[in-house]
Amino acid sequence: DDVTAFIENTGYLTGANTRLLFSTKGTDGNTYQASIINKQNGTSAGDLVFNTVGSDRMIITNNGNVGIGVIAPDASLHVNGATINTDRLALSTDGVNTWRFRHTNDNTDSLAIGNDVGGTFATRVMTLARSGNVGIGTTSPTYGKLEIGGASLGTNAMLAFSVIDGTYNPRAIIS
């Protein structure tokens, strides 16, 4: 086991944390700090906490749960944001075209899935409402467990049933 750096706190006291501190002076003359902290929890193993500008931002608990924006994650990954209608998860392969997941408060308290080009939540493509209803092409599904909405009838079918036979030709279309 090669060790490049070793930091130890042998205080054995509750709250006796071990901290790796990063500090820099900004062009405005102020000092800005970030740290990685091993927070000791009584007699159990510590939590690993990432702190910036004096606030805990992310935690990996001693049982392996990860929290972003929450200090006591109750799931393998628990993400919490301070405001509604902000992205909670963004998935991208090129940094431009992105799928975004956000918690909304548009009278449905729903999960919205949408896509964008260039960093803004441009098009909501699916909504999962608190009621369990799913909406595709609608932001507030209220008429059934699955509600599909569209701007108009025409070449874009609302629902198509296909058989995966190599041709992907639709077998039934509802417009």
Side-chain angles (χ1 to χ4, degrees):
D1 295 339
D2 293 335
V3 176
T4 302
F6 180 74
I7 302 171
E8 181 178 24
N9 183 342
T10 58
Y12 302 113
L13 301 172
T14 298
N17 302 323
T18 304
R19 175 184 312 249
L20 178 59
L21 180 65
F22 302 89
S23 183
T24 187
K25 189 166 289 275
T27 57
D28 59 3
N30 292 323
T31 299
Y32 297 96
Q33 297 181 338
S35 59
I36 302 172
I37 308 162
N38 179 7
K39 285 195 174 181
Q40 195 267 341
N41 292 322
T43 58
S44 66
D47 297 332
L48 188 61
V49 178
F50 297 82
N51 181 295
T52 61
V53 196
S55 296
D56 294 348
R57 306 296 181 177
M58 185 175 87
I59 186 169
I60 303 172
T61 64
N62 60 24
N63 66 1
N65 288 350
V66 175
I68 300 172
V70 60
I71 59 169
D74 59 7
S76 295
L77 176 61
H78 187 161
V79 180
N80 185 39
T83 59
I84 302 294
N85 292 328
T86 57
D87 299 339
R88 298 294 188 256
L89 178 64
L91 304 173
S92 176
T93 58
D94 61 6
V96 177
N97 299 301
T98 306
W99 282 96
R100 297 184 179 276
F101 297 76
R102 69 170 41 177
H103 176 240
T104 67
N105 191 13
D106 53 5
N107 299 324
T108 61
D109 193 29
S110 60
L111 170 68
I113 301 171
N115 55 36
D116 71 43
V117 175
T120 60
F121 194 92
T123 306
R124 183 189 298 200
V125 295
M126 189 168 82
T127 301
L128 176 60
R130 181 174 289 280
S131 65
N133 292 354
V134 176
I136 300 172
T138 179
T139 59
S140 49
T142 55
Y143 298 109
K145 290 295 178 190
L146 175 62
E147 184 177 334
I148 301 172
S152 64
L153 297 177
T155 58
N156 294 327
M158 297 259 200
L159 184 60
F161 296 95
S162 300
V163 177
I164 308 292
D165 61 359
T167 63
Y168 298 95
N169 293 322
R171 300 296 188 238
I173 296 175
I174 300 172
S175 292

